[in-house]
Amino acid sequence: MPLTEAEKWLDHLGSCSPCYGDFSRFRKTYELRRKRTLLAVAASILIATGIAGWVLLQKYNEPLVAQTVVLDLRNRSVPRGTEPNPNEQPLVVNRAATLWNIYLPLGSSEGQYDIRVVTPSGELLFAADGTAKLTDHITSLQITASLSSSGAGRYVLQIRKAGSEWNSYPLLLR
């Protein structure tokens, strides 16, 4: 109600105790409702800010997963065929690793190599090729692999020099 309309009631409120009591209760109820509304808005803002901060912290504080993996085959026997040696421990690779440094078995020569990862039943999961180089008496091959969408489990890493037979090694993706 505008103040001009309320003027005729102000004199009555000042002189009538029961009406002034009602007015005071209405005013207190209104102020309490307003404080609750402001408190609810402030709490909502704090909760939203807290959740956003938590999400950002989780995103930036994720454990850093090694993006590079070294597969050392230097002391492994050179198997022939598509079946890995069942007595050898599997090579362990994190699925998030995208850069693979493969140290080829002793006596491996430089040149073009084919690499593939297959399931134990022989289904192709990944294939690449690269050039092996001899550095400090180690023949190494570097490839880029993306296995992050593959399931964790046991696989077979197969490597061959272009035109040769596949050599197979057990592989465990985590």
Side-chain angles (χ1 to χ4, degrees):
M1 163 182 320
L3 189 58
T4 54
E5 290 181 25
E7 278 184 36
K8 59 183 176 184
W9 301 104
L10 290 177
D11 288 336
H12 177 74
L13 275 177
S15 61
C16 179
S17 249
C19 290
Y20 185 75
D22 288 344
F23 173 74
S24 292
R25 279 194 306 277
F26 288 137
R27 192 181 87 229
K28 285 179 184 177
T29 304
Y30 170 76
E31 287 176 2
L32 183 62
R33 192 176 328 142
R34 185 171 178 214
K35 285 179 185 178
R36 285 182 181 166
T37 302
L38 289 174
L39 184 62
V41 168
S44 299
I45 290 171
L46 283 175
I47 290 171
T49 303
I51 290 172
W54 183 78
V55 167
L56 285 174
L57 281 175
Q58 293 301 315
K59 181 178 179 181
Y60 290 109
N61 285 337
E62 289 178 348
L64 295 177
V65 177
Q67 298 298 313
T68 301
V69 66
V70 175
L71 302 175
D72 193 351
L73 306 175
R74 292 178 294 177
N75 294 326
R76 298 213 177 214
S77 62
V78 180
R80 299 287 180 218
T82 57
E83 294 298 318
N85 182 348
N87 298 328
E88 281 189 330
Q89 290 296 318
L91 301 160
V92 179
V93 175
N94 190 312
R95 292 177 295 157
T98 55
L99 183 62
W100 292 21
N101 285 327
I102 303 171
Y103 296 163
L104 297 175
L106 295 175
S108 297
S109 60
E110 294 182 311
Q112 195 69 21
Y113 282 82
D114 297 317
I115 297 95
R116 66 184 183 185
V117 176
V118 296
T119 63
S121 63
E123 182 182 329
L124 181 65
L125 188 67
F126 168 78
D129 61 6
T131 304
K133 294 182 171 58
L134 184 64
T135 307
D136 294 330
H137 307 291
I138 299 172
T139 308
S140 64
L141 175 63
Q142 212 175 57
I143 63 165
T144 302
S146 178
L147 296 174
S148 59
S149 61
S150 303
R154 294 192 176 272
Y155 295 92
V156 179
L157 171 67
Q158 295 181 328
I159 301 174
R160 73 174 175 186
K161 186 161 173 73
S164 299
E165 292 182 30
W166 289 103
N167 298 325
S168 299
Y169 304 92
L171 180 71
L172 179 63
L173 285 182
R174 289 192 179 168

